[in-house]
Amino acid sequence: MRKVLLPTLIIIAASLLVIRIFYLQVIDDSFKLKSENNAIKIKYDYPERGYIYDRFGKLLVANQSSYDIMVIPRDIKEDLNVTEFCQLLNITKEDYYKRIEKAKVYSPRLPSVFLSQLNKSEFAAFQEKIRKYEGFYFQKRSLRDYEVDYGANIFGFITQVNERQIAKNPYYNSGDLIGKQGVEESYEEILRGIKGVKYIQKDKYNREIGSYKDGKYDTIAVQGEDITLTIDAELQKYGEELMINKRGGIVALEPKSGEILALVTAPSYDPGILVGRQRSKNYTLLYHDSIAKPLYDRGLLAEYPPGSPFKILTGLVALQEGVIDENFSVSCHHGFSYARGRFMRCHCSGGQLQLHRAIYQSCNSYFATSYMRTINKYTKPAAAVDVWSNHLKTFGLGEFMGYDLPTGKRGKIPTSKTYKRMYPNGGWRSTAIVSNAIGQGEVVMTPIQLANMMATVANQGYYYTPHIIKKIEGKKIDDKFTTKHTTSIDKKYFPPIISGLFDVYNMGTASRLKVEGIDICGKTGTAENYTKINGVRTKLKDHSIFVAFAPKDNPKIAIAIMIENGGFGATIAGPIASLMIEKYLKKKISRTDLETRVLNISLRSEYAKLGGMKEAEAIESTPKDSVLKAKIVTPKTPTPKTEPTKTAVDTTKKN
C-alpha cells in the first residue's frame, strides 16, 4: 500500500497541473489579453443607475448625462499649452499640476479621472479643442438627477471610489462612482448595473487601429435595476416642512409590514447640491457644519432617553410578570416617595390611579411602583434586571434592528452587567435604578426604535423588521423583512394598554390634538436634557417626544417624533404626530391650526446656546434650501436636466 501511495499522489498532482495549464492556454486566454495590455486601450461603457420610485410609483431619482475628463500621464505632450488648457476648464495651474501628479501616482500608463462631472455646456467647450491635448480624452457617465428636493438622508449620494474601495472590490477602477449613505449605498450592487468593456488595439505609435480580436472580449453595459421604496413621498416632504427650524427625527412605519413610510431628519439639505463639479465643496461644507450636523441622520443615529413613552413597556412587563393587573392601584400625591429620602415628581392629577388612568395621565408614581415590584419579585436584583431586559429585547431594543440602511445605533437597555460596572461593590436595589421606569436612567433609544415599539403595540405583540425597500425590478426582497418577530408579552396584556393610549387623546395629555374621524392612540413624552457647555454639565430645555399609531383598530401607521430642546411632548412633537397621521390617512389637513402653530415654531434660539448665536444663524432647515444656504456653491451654468431615458419603464410605473 505504501509503495502505491507516493506514485499515486505524483500522478494526481501532475494531472491537475496539466489540466490547469490546458485551461489557461487553450480555453481561457484572458491572461493573454493582460499580457498584451501595453498594446491595448481599455474603454468602459458606464451604464445608467437604476431609477428610484416611492411606494406609489412616483419617480424620485433619475439620471442625467455627465462627462469626465480622463488623463493618461505618459501620453501628455511636453508642448501642451497649460495656460490655455486651464482657462478652458476654469481651473488654476496649481490645480492642474496637482491633478497630474495624483494621476501619475495612480499609474503613468493607465487612465484616471482628471476632472469629473462636467455638464453639457462645460463639456462642449472642451470637446471642440480636445484634439490639441494628447493624453486627455472624455468619458461619458450618468449622474443622478433628483426629481425632488427632499429625502437626502434616504437617498444618500454618489461619489468617487477611493483607493481602499478599489483594493477591496476589483469591479471598481479609479474615477468610478459608488453609492454612499442611504439606499444608494445599501443597494449599490443592484442600482449600479454592469460596466461594458471595449478593448482597442494600438500600433507601435500608440495610435488606435481598431477593436482587439474583432471585439471578442468586448462586453455590453447592463443598466442598473430600478427599485421602489416604501416611502410615501408626499408624507416625507410634509414631515420635512414641519421640521423647519427644528432638530430631531420623525419615523413613520406601517405596522402590519414594517415598511418605512417616512424617515425625516432635521436639519436636512437638497440632495441636488451633491451633484456636479461643486459637489465636493458642498459636501465639505455640510460635513464640517458641527452645529446643525445635516449629514447626521437623527432618525437612525440619535440616541435619546425615551421619557414617558417608555412607561408603555414598563406596564407591559409588569403585567407579564404578574406583579400588577388592570385593577392594581397606586396613590399619587404628585410625587412618589421612596428609600433614602429621594423623590420622583409627578405631573398627573393625583389620587388613586389604576392602570388605565395612569397611562393617559402619565403618572410617574404608578409606573415607578410597577417597575420596583417587577425588580423586587426576584431575590437578586441582578437576576430581576436581566428578566426585565430580556423582555424589552424582544421588542428589538438594545440591538441593531437589521433594517436595510447602512447606518444605525443600538440604543441601550441596561442589564445586570451595566449595574455591576456602576456599582462594583454591589448593594444596589430597585430604588437606585427606578428612573428606568419612566424612560430616564440608563435607557436610551433611537427614534426608529420608538416607532417600532409603537408598531409592536399596535400589532399587539409582533413586528416586522423595519425596511425601506418595497420592490426590486426582477428580484425578491430579503426574507428577513417578511419574517414575523413575536415579543415575550402575552397578547392579552396589550388591549388594556391600548385603551389607555386611546384615552391619551380623549381625556389625557394629548386631548387638544384630536383629529376628527381618526381614532389615534398616543403617548406624550418629555425627556430631561443635559449637555456639557465649556466643560460644565448644563441642563437645557427638555426634548419633546411623542409616539402614536392610528387607527386604533386595524392600525395603518405608527409614528415616533423626537424634537431636541422642544419642551413638553404635547407642545411640538404631539401636533406633528397628529398632522402626519392625518396627512397619511386622509391626504389632507383639517387641523390647520396645529399646522400653522408648528410651522411658526422656531427653536433656533435654543440651539444657539449650544454653539453660539453666530453659528446658529447658519441653521436653515428647509426642504428646498441647504442648511448652509448662504455658503452652498451652485454652478454658474445650471446642469440641464434631461428627460428620463427609460420612458417605457417610467410610464408603466407611474400608472
Side-chain angles (χ1 to χ4, degrees):
M1 185 67 180
R2 292 181 180 178
K3 293 180 179 180
V4 178
L5 181 61
L6 183 59
T8 301
L9 291 175
I10 294 173
I11 292 170
I12 292 173
S15 299
L16 292 173
L17 185 60
V18 170
I19 291 171
R20 179 61 177 166
I21 293 172
F22 177 80
Y23 174 77
L24 293 178
Q25 293 188 349
V26 179
I27 299 175
D28 180 11
D29 54 359
S30 61
F31 285 89
K32 178 183 178 183
L33 180 64
K34 292 180 180 179
S35 70
E36 298 179 2
N37 189 53
N38 290 338
I40 298 171
K41 180 178 181 180
I42 301 175
K43 286 186 177 181
Y44 292 104
D45 183 13
Y46 289 89
E48 273 198 277
R49 287 181 76 86
Y51 283 22
I52 300 176
Y53 298 84
D54 89 333
R55 67 187 294 110
F56 300 116
K58 178 177 180 178
L59 181 62
L60 303 176
V61 185
N63 299 303
Q64 58 181 311
S65 296
S66 176
Y67 304 86
D68 290 351
I69 304 301
M70 309 295 291
V71 62
I72 302 176
R74 77 167 188 175
D75 292 346
I76 300 175
K77 299 299 181 182
E78 293 184 2
D79 60 350
L80 183 142
N81 189 331
V82 176
T83 301
E84 180 187 70
F85 184 83
C86 291
Q87 289 176 347
L88 186 63
L89 292 176
N90 194 27
I91 60 174
T92 64
K93 282 188 176 181
E94 181 183 1
D95 198 21
Y96 169 85
Y97 290 114
K98 182 179 178 181
R99 292 171 185 268
I100 293 298
E101 285 303 312
K102 183 178 179 181
K104 287 179 179 178
V105 170
Y106 173 70
S107 173
R109 296 185 302 174
L110 296 177
S112 59
V113 175
F114 177 80
L115 193 62
S116 64
Q117 299 189 17
L118 277 69
N119 61 37
K120 287 184 177 180
S121 299
E122 294 167 331
F123 168 69
F126 178 78
Q127 187 181 28
E128 292 179 3
K129 299 183 179 181
I130 192 170
R131 294 181 180 276
K132 296 175 59 177
Y133 309 115
E134 287 193 43
F136 293 91
Y137 67 96
F138 69 87
Q139 175 77 63
K140 185 177 180 181
R141 296 185 190 268
S142 176
L143 294 184
R144 281 315 205 184
D145 183 12
Y146 295 98
E147 306 300 307
V148 297
D149 53 13
Y150 49 84
N153 61 309
I154 294 171
F155 304 139
F157 53 92
I158 306 299
T159 188
Q160 286 187 19
V161 292
N162 54 40
E163 293 180 4
R164 179 178 56 82
Q165 291 166 325
I166 294 172
K168 184 178 179 181
N169 191 333
Y171 174 87
Y172 299 102
N173 298 308
S174 177
D176 280 5
L177 302 176
I178 190 171
K180 185 174 181 182
Q181 298 182 7
V183 295
E184 294 282 17
E185 180 175 335
S186 294
Y187 293 97
E188 163 67 11
E189 292 187 11
I190 290 169
L191 289 167
R192 75 186 181 193
I194 301 174
K195 287 184 292 188
V197 183
K198 292 182 180 180
Y199 298 94
I200 310 299
Q201 182 76 51
K202 297 185 292 184
D203 63 14
K204 63 180 180 180
Y205 299 106
N206 204 35
R207 295 175 300 193
E208 295 182 12
I209 56 176
S211 296
Y212 176 77
K213 296 286 186 181
D214 295 323
K216 176 181 178 181
Y217 299 101
D218 294 353
T219 59
I220 299 173
V222 179
Q223 294 180 337
E225 303 290 350
D226 295 345
I227 64 174
T228 298
L229 304 183
T230 60
I231 293 296
D232 178 336
E234 291 304 313
L235 187 67
Q236 177 73 24
K237 178 182 179 181
Y238 188 57
E240 292 193 19
E241 289 172 351
L242 294 175
M243 292 295 285
I244 292 172
N245 291 321
K246 306 167 189 69
R247 292 185 197 169
I250 301 175
V251 181
L253 304 174
E254 183 179 71
K256 292 295 189 292
S257 65
E259 293 181 353
I260 299 174
L261 302 174
L263 180 61
V264 176
T265 182
S268 188
Y269 60 93
D270 181 346
I273 66 173
L274 296 184
V275 176
R277 288 181 63 181
Q278 303 301 332
R279 74 198 185 288
S280 295
K281 293 180 181 178
N282 290 337
Y283 180 80
T284 300
L285 290 170
L286 293 171
Y287 182 81
H288 290 291
D289 183 0
S290 60
I291 304 301
K293 298 181 179 179
L295 295 174
Y296 182 72
D297 193 327
R298 287 169 165 85
L300 302 177
L301 292 170
E303 298 173 297
Y304 307 93
S308 290
F310 195 78
K311 294 172 183 175
I312 297 169
L313 298 179
T314 300
L316 285 169
V317 173
L319 288 168
Q320 181 67 35
E321 287 297 308
V323 297
I324 68 169
D325 59 24
E326 292 181 56
N327 298 317
F328 173 73
S329 64
V330 168
S331 180
C332 179
H333 301 288
H334 306 295
F336 176 75
S337 299
Y338 55 93
R340 302 178 186 174
R342 298 174 69 188
F343 189 78
M344 179 178 286
R345 295 185 180 278
C346 186
H347 48 257
C348 76
S349 61
Q352 203 73 18
L353 291 90
Q354 295 179 330
L355 178 62
H356 185 79
R357 187 157 75 93
I359 292 173
Y360 73 72
Q361 287 198 353
S362 195
C363 178
N364 288 345
S365 302
Y366 185 94
F367 291 100
T369 301
S370 300
Y371 178 76
M372 288 198 298
R373 287 171 71 92
T374 301
I375 301 301
N376 295 336
K377 174 183 176 181
Y378 297 86
T379 305
K380 295 182 178 180
V385 167
D386 286 338
V387 169
W388 169 80
S389 177
N390 288 335
H391 280 306
L392 299 179
K393 287 177 180 177
T394 65
F395 285 79
L397 304 181
E399 301 289 344
F400 290 114
M401 300 193 69
Y403 48 72
D404 53 342
L405 286 164
T407 189
K409 288 289 185 70
R410 292 175 179 268
K412 183 178 180 182
I413 299 297
T415 65
S416 59
K417 292 181 180 179
T418 306
Y419 295 112
K420 285 177 182 177
R421 288 193 298 268
M422 293 177 63
Y423 301 94
N425 298 322
W428 57 275
R429 302 178 182 177
S430 61
T431 53
I433 61 174
V434 71
S435 293
N436 290 334
I438 60 171
Q440 296 284 166
E442 286 67 56
V443 176
V444 292
M445 294 168 63
T446 60
I448 195 169
Q449 288 177 325
L450 273 169
N452 191 62
M453 177 194 80
M454 285 307 283
T456 308
V457 174
N459 292 335
Q460 299 189 35
Y462 72 87
Y463 70 91
Y464 291 95
T465 301
H467 54 283
I468 205 160
I469 192 70
K470 190 171 182 70
K471 185 172 66 175
I472 302 172
E473 188 177 285
K475 290 183 173 62
K476 183 182 177 183
I477 67 170
D478 197 315
D479 287 340
K480 72 177 182 178
F481 300 133
T482 55
T483 301
K484 181 186 287 189
H485 303 277
T486 305
T487 71
S488 59
I489 309 298
D490 291 342
K491 184 176 180 178
K492 64 182 180 181
Y493 295 124
F494 286 91
I497 296 292
I498 291 172
S499 177
L501 295 174
F502 179 56
D503 277 341
V504 167
Y505 266 85
N506 291 320
M507 58 186 79
T509 52
S511 58
R512 297 181 180 180
L513 305 177
K514 295 174 67 174
V515 177
E516 189 68 30
I518 303 177
D519 292 335
I520 305 177
C521 299
K523 186 74 189 73
T524 53
T526 306
E528 292 184 345
N529 176 25
Y530 290 89
T531 191
K532 283 188 177 182
I533 298 180
N534 298 324
V536 179
R537 188 170 185 265
T538 305
K539 188 179 189 310
L540 299 176
K541 191 174 180 180
D542 294 336
H543 296 320
S544 177
I545 310 167
F546 200 92
V547 294
F549 65 83
K552 177 176 177 288
D553 301 316
N554 191 25
K556 292 180 173 59
I557 181 173
I559 193 166
I561 294 95
M562 171 70 73
I563 309 295
E564 295 180 8
N565 310 88
F568 294 117
T571 303
I572 305 178
I576 290 176
S578 294
L579 291 167
M580 291 284 284
I581 287 172
E582 185 178 23
K583 183 71 171 179
Y584 181 67
L585 295 179
K586 290 188 172 183
K587 310 302 179 187
K588 60 181 181 180
I589 296 299
S590 63
R591 289 298 307 268
T592 54
D593 57 321
L594 293 181
E595 183 179 63
T596 300
R597 190 210 310 175
V598 170
L599 291 174
N600 287 333
I601 290 176
S602 172
L603 297 176
R604 292 172 64 181
S605 60
E606 287 296 326
Y607 306 139
K609 298 175 184 177
L610 297 174
M613 183 61 74
K614 184 176 180 180
E615 289 87 349
E617 291 289 335
I619 299 172
E620 293 290 346
S621 171
T622 74
K624 293 186 178 180
D625 299 311
S626 163
V627 290
L628 296 171
K629 185 177 179 181
K631 300 178 183 178
I632 288 296
V633 181
T634 53
K636 293 180 180 178
T637 304
T639 302
K641 291 187 176 182
T642 58
E643 290 297 320
T645 57
K646 298 183 182 178
T647 52
V649 175
D650 187 31
T651 301
T652 55
K653 294 203 174 188
K654 284 188 177 180
N655 291 338

